Amino acid sequence: MKSIFELENRLDIEQEFVRLYNVLQRQKDTVLYDDNVYGVREFAKFFEGIDNTVFLEWKYRDTFLNVYEYLDFIGVNDNLTSYNKELYEEIFLYYLEFILNMKLLVDNSNSIELMPIATAAIENIPIILEKMNYKAEKVEDKIIISKRDADIDSVLECVPENISNVLLEYNDFRNKDDIKEKQKLLKAIDLYIENNIKVRLFDVELDNSIGTIVNKMGVNHPIKDEPYKSFTEEQLIEWYDKCFLMMLHAIRTAEINKIKTERKELVSAKT
């Protein structure tokens, strides 16, 4: 017989969505906030408290003037729970990402305080994401959700923060089929590699492969040659993802070579 610590809680995203929705959008005492009109502290629903305090300060709200407009924009509304509509994974991820960004606003504000049930619900999100093979990362002043990727994790500390942010953004779930965004991000990584890593010195074929994709498939220059001109967007994205993997390999190999050189210098210093 298994102990309670060995039991597996299989993920049901619809169940997790309803759990979060009930706590953050229906429960009336999940936050305590400063009512600027009456000068008192008031209990409220999580998103109601956010709406009355910090949402309008969020630089990424676009033209939306309240939380509920934004939730409707990302596809989260009462219809999802009232009419048994199918919950798409993408909508659920948008919802989780929005909650995490609102929590970031709360952490930076003195006007709103989370009650334990709201804190516990939000602390469930990293666990949910891990089971979905995603993770949340703070990138500059926002939280983004991206696919977990050991290759990316292995090089994040080897590059400057601005490039580590680009690597994370490439794996952002929203960019999966966004060819323009992938072109922009690959261009930034290619420029970093060109200025900092001499790939040709340790792998000519790798350097040629990356060069072909970024220079002939629409990343650095418009596509002019066949067979690349005949590629569909789906084919180009497939090659972009291969290029991204090769770029990670180039960065990691350069770091390994650096360690090898340091080891040689250490040995030489002893003799």
Side-chain angles (χ1 to χ4, degrees):
M1 178 179 174
K2 292 183 178 180
S3 74
I4 61 171
F5 306 105
E6 298 172 288
L7 296 176
E8 181 182 1
N9 177 22
R10 294 183 182 276
L11 186 72
D12 180 329
I13 67 170
E14 292 191 1
Q15 184 181 66
E16 296 297 342
F17 169 75
V18 169
R19 182 179 286 134
L20 285 166
Y21 189 93
N22 285 339
V23 170
L24 301 180
Q25 293 183 238
R26 289 181 172 166
Q27 197 160 325
K28 296 181 179 180
D29 57 354
T30 51
V31 297
L32 189 62
Y33 76 97
D34 294 333
D35 188 322
N36 293 326
V37 176
Y38 298 103
V40 295
R41 299 273 275 175
E42 294 280 355
F43 280 105
K45 302 174 186 177
F46 174 79
F47 283 124
E48 181 183 4
I50 296 292
D51 200 38
N52 290 335
T53 53
V54 294
F55 178 74
L56 290 180
E57 300 172 6
W58 190 38
K59 66 184 288 187
Y60 300 105
R61 65 177 175 82
D62 204 328
T63 61
F64 301 104
L65 297 177
N66 62 63
V67 166
Y68 304 101
E69 286 183 351
Y70 196 90
L71 286 170
D72 192 57
F73 166 67
I74 63 175
V76 177
N77 50 51
D78 289 337
N79 290 342
L80 281 176
T81 55
S82 300
Y83 299 102
N84 296 317
K85 290 182 65 176
E86 180 182 358
L87 175 65
Y88 294 106
E89 180 179 286
E90 185 178 82
I91 291 177
F92 186 51
L93 291 170
Y94 281 142
Y95 187 56
L96 299 182
E97 194 173 64
F98 182 60
I99 293 169
L100 291 174
N101 277 281
M102 294 304 98
K103 173 64 163 56
L104 189 61
L105 289 180
V106 170
D107 291 343
N108 294 328
S109 172
N110 295 320
S111 62
I112 186 168
E113 176 185 352
L114 299 186
M115 295 298 99
I117 185 64
T119 299
I122 295 171
E123 287 177 348
N124 282 350
I125 293 177
I127 302 171
I128 294 169
L129 290 173
E130 184 174 3
K131 291 184 178 185
M132 295 175 70
N133 200 32
Y134 285 90
K135 64 178 180 178
E137 294 273 358
K138 186 177 180 183
V139 176
E140 296 174 349
D141 58 351
K142 59 182 178 292
I143 305 291
I144 66 167
I145 289 174
S146 60
K147 270 284 188 184
R148 296 177 63 88
D149 190 311
D151 286 322
I152 295 176
D153 292 344
S154 70
V155 302
L156 289 179
E157 294 186 3
C158 306
V159 297
E161 184 178 1
N162 64 316
I163 299 301
S164 66
N165 290 343
V166 171
L167 297 177
L168 290 169
E169 286 183 24
Y170 191 91
N171 238 24
D172 187 325
F173 71 95
R174 287 166 299 194
N175 295 331
K176 180 181 177 183
D177 300 313
D178 190 334
I179 190 167
K180 294 297 184 185
E181 188 66 16
K182 290 199 170 198
Q183 287 170 343
K184 183 186 81 172
L185 295 170
L186 285 180
K187 188 168 187 173
I189 302 168
D190 181 53
L191 184 61
Y192 168 76
I193 291 175
E194 182 181 340
N195 290 334
N196 296 276
I197 300 173
K198 305 301 181 186
V199 180
R200 183 164 288 273
L201 294 180
F202 57 81
D203 194 328
V204 173
E205 188 59 35
L206 180 64
D207 187 60
N208 289 340
S209 298
I210 292 173
T212 297
I213 297 170
V214 297
N215 293 320
K216 294 185 177 294
M217 297 190 197
V219 175
N220 289 334
H221 312 288
I223 303 175
K224 296 180 179 179
D225 303 325
E226 293 290 357
Y228 318 116
K229 284 178 68 174
S230 302
F231 282 4
T232 63
E233 282 199 2
E234 184 178 345
Q235 287 175 305
L236 286 172
I237 286 175
E238 184 179 337
W239 278 106
Y240 292 167
D241 291 346
K242 290 176 180 178
C243 184
F244 180 67
L245 187 60
M246 289 190 291
M247 287 172 161
L248 292 175
H249 180 64
I251 295 169
R252 184 168 50 247
T253 301
E255 185 66 17
I256 294 299
N257 288 343
K258 179 182 174 184
I259 295 171
K260 288 179 180 178
T261 300
E262 290 174 350
R263 196 272 308 173
K264 289 178 182 178
E265 291 173 351
L266 178 64
V267 172
S268 298
K270 283 186 174 183
T271 59

